[in-house]
Amino acid sequence: MTATTFRIGGDLSVRRLGFGAMQLPTEPGPAREASLGVARRAVELGVTLIDTAHLYGGGANEELLAEALYPYADGLLVTTKVGVARSAESGEWGLDGRPEVLRDQVENALRRLRVERLELLQLHRIDPEVPLADQLGALRELQTAGKVGRLGLSEITVAELEEARAIIDVASVQNRYSLLDREHEPVLVACEAAGTAFLPWRPVAGAASGASAAAAGITAVADELGATPAQVSLAWLLDRSPVILPIPGTARVDHLEENVAAADLRLTPAHRDHLDGLGLPDRPAERA
């Protein structure tokens, strides 16, 4: 029986199928009202892990979640990410792991989310222009100060994970990963060996495109199970490793409900073998 919960950092229990808030519109108007409804419906459906980031609207996504969900339900984890900033000169977004920037983004996240402590904070990307010890050292100081509970990383290699572990306790890793995109399989294996939470972003990428033999293979399994390709992809992830915590995102309630229902979908050994053997096409690099 596939476990439905996982303890991040060994003590923070969440349901394994979470929600990624990146796609929620935040501008005033009907789209924002719909976003508030999606976030609230996610919690109603039992989601206890919601992922956001400073990058998503420069904090606007964090403010949206607080408006929708504060005061937070018991056991609800809203995790955010820092380390990407907009240039004051060009207005362009880019990696920025300077300690002062990380500290400022954490302070703003605390204010926007209306909390005194971020139970899980992830470094959005490692900035190659700043020593990793300086980046993680700044976050560790915030952790020591009680403003952060657990620390994670995003889009890293196995070597970077090992380097980071010499500086901090890594509670989570958020890398791009799905049934049709297993480039970061070595990172998943390393996380599984250490009991580290692995949060795949874009977890259903390509599943419903029908543009490849692999996508057609997913659709065939979905038809047999009376499910959708997205549900099959999420069920495969939940079955793939007990440390995987998918965070599919959507701005639509019907898609949200479809995704959450995937937690109850059971793959047969034959289906699992079929899905395991599907082709692994190259995926373009994106930012979560």
Side-chain angles (χ1 to χ4, degrees):
M1 187 76 171
T2 302
T4 59
T5 62
F6 182 83
R7 293 184 180 275
I8 299 175
D11 62 348
L12 184 60
S13 182
V14 296
R15 290 189 66 181
R16 288 179 58 206
L17 189 54
F19 174 68
M22 180 178 69
Q23 296 182 31
L24 295 179
T26 58
E27 64 274 10
R32 181 184 180 86
E33 293 304 311
S35 294
L36 296 172
V38 170
R40 290 167 182 152
R41 182 59 177 151
V43 176
E44 290 173 356
L45 292 170
V47 170
T48 58
L49 168 60
I50 297 180
D51 175 81
T52 183
H54 175 81
L55 173 65
Y56 308 159
N61 197 269
E62 295 170 338
E63 292 176 337
L64 175 82
L65 292 176
E67 180 180 343
L69 303 174
Y70 186 86
Y72 302 109
D74 290 342
L76 177 62
L77 169 65
V78 179
T79 175
T80 193
K81 301 183 289 292
V82 296
V84 182
R86 175 173 283 170
S87 168
E89 292 76 23
S90 68
E92 297 294 322
W93 289 94
L95 303 185
D96 196 334
R98 292 175 295 169
E100 62 270 25
V101 171
L102 299 178
R103 286 191 289 266
D104 182 66
Q105 290 187 357
V106 167
E107 293 292 347
N108 281 316
L110 290 167
R111 174 179 55 80
R112 293 185 180 113
L113 290 171
R114 309 180 196 177
V115 296
E116 295 182 355
R117 171 179 158 116
L118 300 169
E119 292 300 336
L120 176 63
L121 174 73
Q122 299 174 99
L123 182 63
H124 209 146
R125 293 292 187 275
I126 293 175
D127 184 348
E129 302 300 320
V130 179
L132 183 60
D134 291 352
Q135 298 176 67
L136 298 185
L139 299 183
R140 186 181 57 202
E141 290 173 0
L142 291 164
Q143 187 179 34
T144 301
K147 296 184 178 183
V148 174
R150 299 152 197 83
L151 294 170
L153 303 165
S154 180
E155 208 62 7
I156 59 168
T157 65
V158 172
E160 289 169 337
L161 177 57
E162 292 176 351
E163 184 180 358
R165 282 178 174 157
I167 305 169
I168 62 169
D169 290 329
V170 180
S172 67
V173 170
Q174 185 171 331
N175 274 27
R176 192 187 72 252
Y177 186 85
S178 68
L179 174 54
L180 298 184
D181 178 6
R182 301 181 222 175
E183 176 185 344
H184 293 293
E185 187 81 22
V187 181
L188 169 59
V189 171
C191 287
E192 189 173 45
T196 301
F198 185 88
L199 284 62
W201 58 273
R202 295 198 78 227
V204 299
S209 68
S212 67
I218 298 173
T219 300
V221 172
D223 290 343
E224 289 184 18
L225 293 173
T228 67
Q231 288 175 325
V232 168
S233 298
L234 291 169
W236 180 85
L237 284 169
L238 292 170
D239 196 45
R240 167 65 187 82
S241 169
V243 305
I244 288 183
L245 283 62
I247 47 171
T250 181
R252 291 172 46 178
V253 169
D254 59 337
H255 283 168
L256 168 69
E257 293 173 343
E258 173 188 327
N259 290 339
V260 172
D264 297 322
L265 186 64
R266 297 292 174 258
L267 303 175
T268 67
H271 289 143
R272 174 59 193 266
D273 289 344
H274 172 76
L275 295 169
D276 285 348
L278 293 179
L280 310 176
D282 293 334
R283 312 301 297 179
E286 296 188 31
R287 174 178 288 161

